[in-house]
């Protein structure tokens, strides 16, 4: 659970650099307690911002199981068992890893989405359906996942069914769609929201897959101390034209692993 940001001793810190800045204090980008394992088949890796980058987070497969580890913010490396299923679309950004997998439900093979916090060793999305509810009382829907992105600080976005953009975070305060300078709130289904649905033609599918991105809102530095930070994150995508569409996620996140 998150808690209100401290009212004193706040310092301005660029949220996109939060994980990297904390790691930068550790020589060569590695944890003082060591590095993540190098065994198994690497599925994804995050590198430090050092002149000679080194791995500071890694996801790998070994013995039919998928594991992850991070040394972001100087965290002592711990091997986390992520899944025993065959994971696909594996994505990693420092402390945040996401993946999809096929499961059997009511006699059918369907796709589910997971997201995991490597810092505290706990999942925050556990096999959710690809399309969240769009309004109170609406059901979640099955579908494919054609693209998946994650962002440091427990952010996630994906393209469902080639045409629907889903965005979210572990505990967002607000999720809004930004259009022509105005922001409209989106319905949050457990921290996830449908940000847009479009015609599923080949051009739209290709554009959504290639353009989907997660990044801090330019110019927003956030508030942070050693125990928590507040963020404003943008998910952007295109549907064939040059202009990007945008959803913004605002909230706060406790970081007890860097708290004295």
């Amino acid at each position: 659970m998150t808690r209100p940001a401290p009212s004193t001793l706040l310092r301005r810190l660029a949220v996109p650099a939060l994980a990297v800045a904390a790691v930068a204090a550790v020589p060569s980008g590695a944890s003082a307690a060591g590095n993540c394992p190098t065994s198994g088949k690497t599925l994804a890796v995050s590198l430090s911002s050092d002149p000679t980058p080194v791995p500071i987070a890694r996801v790998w497969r070994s013995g039919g199981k998928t594991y992850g580890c991070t040394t972001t913010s100087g965290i002592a490396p711990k091997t986390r068992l992520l899944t025993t299923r065959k994971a696909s679309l594996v994505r990693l950004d420092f402390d945040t890893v996401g993946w999809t997998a096929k499961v059997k439900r009511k006699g059918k093979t369907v796709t589910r989405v997971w997201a995991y916090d490597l810092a505290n060793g706990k999942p925050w999305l556990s096999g959710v359906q690809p399309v969240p509810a769009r309004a109170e009382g609406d059901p979640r829907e099955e579908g494919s996942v054609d693209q998946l992105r994650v962002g440091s600080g427990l952010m996630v976005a994906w393209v469902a069914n080639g045409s629907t953009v889903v965005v979210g975070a572990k505990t967002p305060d607000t999720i809004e769609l930004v259009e022509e300078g105005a922001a409209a709130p989106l319905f949050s289904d457990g921290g996830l929201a449908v940000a847009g649905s479009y015609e599923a033609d080949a051009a739209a599918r290709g554009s959504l897959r290639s353009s989907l991105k997660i990044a801090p809102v330019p110019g927003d530095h956030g508030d942070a101390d050693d125990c928590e930070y507040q963020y404003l994150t943008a998910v952007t995508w295109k549907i064939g034209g040059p202009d990007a569409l945008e959803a913004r996620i605002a909230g706060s996140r406790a970081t007890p692993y860097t708290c004295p």
Side-chain angles (χ1 to χ4, degrees):
M1 296 292 291
T2 57
R3 56 186 186 276
S7 58
T8 60
L9 300 180
L10 286 176
R11 65 177 183 270
R12 300 301 290 178
L13 180 65
V15 175
L18 178 63
V20 177
V23 171
V26 181
S28 301
S31 168
N35 299 315
C36 290
T38 58
S39 59
K41 178 183 178 182
T42 298
L43 302 179
V45 65
S46 282
L47 301 176
S48 72
S49 59
D50 298 323
T52 303
V54 297
I56 56 174
R58 181 173 178 258
V59 176
W60 68 96
R61 190 152 183 87
S62 178
K65 300 177 182 179
T66 301
Y67 300 90
C69 169
T70 189
T71 59
T72 301
S73 302
I75 298 168
K78 293 182 180 180
T79 296
R80 313 287 195 182
L81 174 61
L82 303 180
T83 181
T84 58
R85 297 183 177 90
K86 183 178 180 180
S88 56
L89 291 182
V90 177
R91 304 289 187 260
L92 171 67
D93 191 28
F94 297 107
D95 58 352
T96 305
V97 59
W99 69 92
T100 64
K102 300 290 187 181
V103 300
K104 286 282 189 180
R105 293 291 184 270
K106 298 181 180 180
K108 296 181 179 180
T109 300
V110 296
T111 299
R112 291 288 190 267
V113 184
W114 282 259
Y116 194 97
D117 182 352
L118 287 172
N120 70 11
K122 296 179 181 179
W124 52 277
L125 291 180
S126 295
V128 299
Q129 290 163 281
V131 183
R134 301 167 192 260
E136 189 71 40
D138 284 357
R140 296 178 177 178
E141 300 173 12
E142 301 293 356
S144 63
V145 177
D146 306 281
Q147 183 58 279
L148 175 67
R149 304 293 189 201
V150 300
S152 174
L154 311 185
M155 308 291 168
V156 69
W158 63 81
V159 178
N161 300 322
S163 61
T164 298
V165 176
V166 178
V167 304
K170 183 180 180 182
T171 53
D173 292 334
T174 61
I175 306 177
E176 298 179 318
L177 182 64
V178 179
E179 294 182 300
E180 298 180 354
L186 295 171
F187 176 75
S188 176
D189 177 13
L192 300 173
V194 172
S197 291
Y198 311 97
E199 293 294 328
D201 57 49
R205 285 176 178 269
S207 183
L208 288 172
R209 281 198 304 269
S210 62
S211 66
L212 186 68
K213 293 180 175 60
I214 301 177
V217 173
D220 185 272
H221 300 291
D223 285 325
D225 67 4
D226 289 335
C227 301
E228 183 184 69
Y229 68 85
Q230 295 179 317
Y231 59 80
L232 183 61
T233 299
V235 179
T236 57
W237 63 95
K238 297 179 182 178
I239 51 173
D243 298 328
L245 301 170
E246 180 180 330
R248 291 186 177 184
I249 307 170
S252 60
R253 182 189 174 202
T255 53
Y257 41 84
T258 62
C259 190

